[in-house]
Coordinates of all heavy atoms in Angstrom, one line a residue:
V21 N 12.8 -14.1 5.9 CA 13.1 -15.5 6.0 C 12.5 -16.3 4.8 O 13.2 -17.2 4.3 CB 12.5 -16.0 7.4 CG1 12.5 -17.6 7.4 CG2 13.2 -15.5 8.6
I22 N 11.3 -16.1 4.5 CA 10.6 -16.7 3.4 C 11.4 -16.5 2.1 O 11.7 -17.4 1.3 CB 9.2 -16.3 3.2 CG1 8.4 -16.8 4.4 CG2 8.6 -16.9 1.9 CD1 7.0 -16.2 4.5
Q23 N 11.9 -15.3 1.9 CA 12.6 -15.0 0.6 C 13.9 -15.7 0.6 O 14.3 -16.2 -0.4 CB 12.9 -13.5 0.5 CG 11.6 -12.7 0.2 CD 11.8 -11.2 0.2 OE1 12.8 -10.7 0.7 NE2 10.9 -10.5 -0.4
R24 N 14.6 -15.8 1.7 CA 15.9 -16.5 1.8 C 15.7 -18.0 1.5 O 16.4 -18.7 0.7 CB 16.6 -16.3 3.1 CG 17.2 -14.9 3.3 CD 18.1 -14.8 4.4 NE 17.4 -15.1 5.7 CZ 16.9 -14.2 6.5 NH1 16.8 -12.9 6.1 NH2 16.3 -14.5 7.6
V25 N 14.6 -18.6 2.1 CA 14.3 -20.0 1.8 C 13.9 -20.2 0.4 O 14.2 -21.3 -0.3 CB 13.3 -20.5 2.8 CG1 12.8 -21.9 2.5 CG2 13.8 -20.5 4.2
A26 N 13.1 -19.3 -0.2 CA 12.6 -19.4 -1.5 C 13.8 -19.4 -2.6 O 13.6 -19.9 -3.7 CB 11.7 -18.2 -1.9
A27 N 15.0 -19.0 -2.2 CA 16.1 -19.1 -3.1 C 16.6 -20.5 -3.2 O 17.2 -20.8 -4.2 CB 17.2 -18.2 -2.6
R28 N 16.2 -21.4 -2.3 CA 16.6 -22.8 -2.3 C 15.5 -23.8 -2.5 O 15.7 -24.9 -2.9 CB 17.3 -23.1 -1.0 CG 18.4 -22.2 -0.6 CD 19.1 -22.6 0.7 NE 18.3 -22.5 1.9 CZ 18.2 -21.4 2.6 NH1 18.8 -20.3 2.2 NH2 17.5 -21.4 3.7
V29 N 14.2 -23.4 -2.2 CA 13.1 -24.3 -2.3 C 12.0 -23.6 -3.1 O 11.7 -22.4 -2.9 CB 12.5 -24.5 -0.8 CG1 11.3 -25.4 -0.9 CG2 13.6 -25.1 0.1
P30 N 11.4 -24.3 -4.1 CA 10.4 -23.7 -4.9 C 9.1 -23.5 -4.2 O 8.5 -24.5 -3.8 CB 10.3 -24.7 -6.1 CG 10.8 -26.0 -5.5 CD 11.8 -25.7 -4.5
I31 N 8.7 -22.3 -4.0 CA 7.5 -22.0 -3.4 C 6.7 -20.9 -4.1 O 7.4 -20.2 -4.9 CB 7.7 -21.5 -1.9 CG1 8.5 -20.2 -1.9 CG2 8.3 -22.6 -1.0 CD1 8.6 -19.5 -0.6
E32 N 5.5 -20.8 -3.9 CA 4.7 -19.8 -4.5 C 4.1 -19.0 -3.3 O 3.4 -19.5 -2.4 CB 3.5 -20.4 -5.3 CG 2.6 -19.4 -5.9 CD 1.5 -20.0 -6.7 OE1 1.7 -21.1 -7.2 OE2 0.4 -19.5 -6.7
L33 N 4.4 -17.7 -3.2 CA 4.1 -16.9 -2.0 C 3.0 -15.9 -2.4 O 3.1 -15.1 -3.4 CB 5.3 -16.1 -1.5 CG 5.0 -15.2 -0.3 CD1 4.5 -16.0 0.9 CD2 6.2 -14.4 0.0
E34 N 1.9 -15.9 -1.6 CA 0.9 -14.8 -1.6 C 0.9 -14.0 -0.4 O 0.9 -14.6 0.7 CB -0.5 -15.5 -1.8 CG -1.6 -14.5 -1.8 CD -3.0 -15.1 -1.8 OE1 -3.1 -16.3 -1.5 OE2 -4.0 -14.3 -1.9
T35 N 1.0 -12.7 -0.5 CA 1.0 -11.8 0.7 C -0.4 -11.1 0.8 O -0.9 -10.6 -0.2 CB 2.1 -10.8 0.6 OG1 3.4 -11.4 0.4 CG2 2.1 -9.8 1.8
V36 N -1.0 -11.3 1.9 CA -2.3 -10.7 2.2 C -2.2 -9.6 3.3 O -1.8 -9.9 4.4 CB -3.3 -11.8 2.6 CG1 -4.7 -11.2 2.8 CG2 -3.4 -12.9 1.5
D37 N -2.6 -8.4 2.9 CA -2.6 -7.3 3.9 C -4.0 -7.3 4.6 O -5.0 -7.0 4.1 CB -2.5 -6.0 3.1 CG -2.5 -4.7 4.0 OD1 -2.7 -4.9 5.2 OD2 -2.3 -3.7 3.4
V38 N -3.9 -7.7 5.9 CA -5.2 -7.9 6.7 C -5.8 -6.5 7.0 O -7.0 -6.5 7.2 CB -4.9 -8.6 8.0 CG1 -4.4 -10.0 7.8 CG2 -4.0 -7.8 8.9
S39 N -5.1 -5.4 6.9 CA -5.7 -4.1 7.1 C -6.7 -3.7 6.0 O -7.4 -2.7 6.2 CB -4.6 -3.1 7.3 OG -3.9 -2.8 6.1
T40 N -6.7 -4.4 4.9 CA -7.6 -4.1 3.8 C -8.9 -4.8 3.9 O -9.8 -4.6 3.0 CB -7.0 -4.3 2.4 OG1 -6.7 -5.7 2.3 CG2 -5.7 -3.5 2.3
N41 N -9.1 -5.7 4.9 CA -10.3 -6.5 5.0 C -10.6 -6.7 6.5 O -9.9 -7.3 7.2 CB -10.0 -7.9 4.3 CG -11.2 -8.8 4.4 OD1 -11.7 -9.2 5.4 ND2 -11.6 -9.2 3.2
A42 N -11.8 -6.2 6.8 CA -12.2 -6.2 8.3 C -12.3 -7.6 8.8 O -11.9 -7.8 10.0 CB -13.5 -5.5 8.4
D43 N -12.8 -8.6 8.0 CA -12.9 -10.0 8.5 C -11.5 -10.6 8.8 O -11.3 -11.2 9.8 CB -13.7 -10.8 7.5 CG -15.1 -10.5 7.4 OD1 -15.7 -9.9 8.4 OD2 -15.7 -10.7 6.4
L44 N -10.6 -10.3 7.8 CA -9.2 -10.8 8.0 C -8.5 -10.2 9.2 O -7.8 -10.8 10.0 CB -8.4 -10.7 6.7 CG -8.8 -11.6 5.6 CD1 -8.0 -11.3 4.3 CD2 -8.7 -13.0 5.9
D45 N -8.7 -8.9 9.3 CA -8.1 -8.1 10.4 C -8.7 -8.7 11.8 O -7.9 -8.8 12.7 CB -8.4 -6.6 10.3 CG -7.5 -5.8 11.2 OD1 -6.4 -6.2 11.4 OD2 -8.0 -4.7 11.7
A46 N -9.9 -9.0 11.8 CA -10.5 -9.5 13.1 C -9.9 -10.9 13.3 O -9.7 -11.3 14.5 CB -12.0 -9.5 13.0
R47 N -9.8 -11.7 12.3 CA -9.3 -13.0 12.5 C -7.8 -13.2 12.8 O -7.4 -14.0 13.6 CB -9.6 -13.9 11.2 CG -9.3 -15.3 11.3 CD -9.8 -16.1 10.1 NE -9.4 -17.4 10.2 CZ -9.7 -18.4 9.3 NH1 -10.4 -18.0 8.3 NH2 -9.4 -19.6 9.5
Y48 N -7.0 -12.4 12.0 CA -5.6 -12.5 12.2 C -4.8 -11.3 12.7 O -3.6 -11.4 13.0 CB -4.9 -12.8 10.7 CG -5.4 -14.1 10.1 CD1 -6.2 -14.1 9.0 CD2 -5.0 -15.3 10.6 CE1 -6.6 -15.3 8.4 CE2 -5.3 -16.5 10.1 CZ -6.1 -16.5 9.0 OH -6.5 -17.7 8.4

Side-chain angles (χ1 to χ4, degrees):
V21 167
I22 293 167
Q23 288 176 343
R24 289 191 298 271
V25 171
R28 301 183 297 273
V29 179
I31 61 168
E32 180 181 325
L33 177 63
E34 176 186 11
T35 302
V36 178
D37 179 357
V38 298
S39 67
T40 63
N41 181 299
D43 291 335
L44 290 176
D45 195 34
R47 183 172 180 182
Y48 295 111

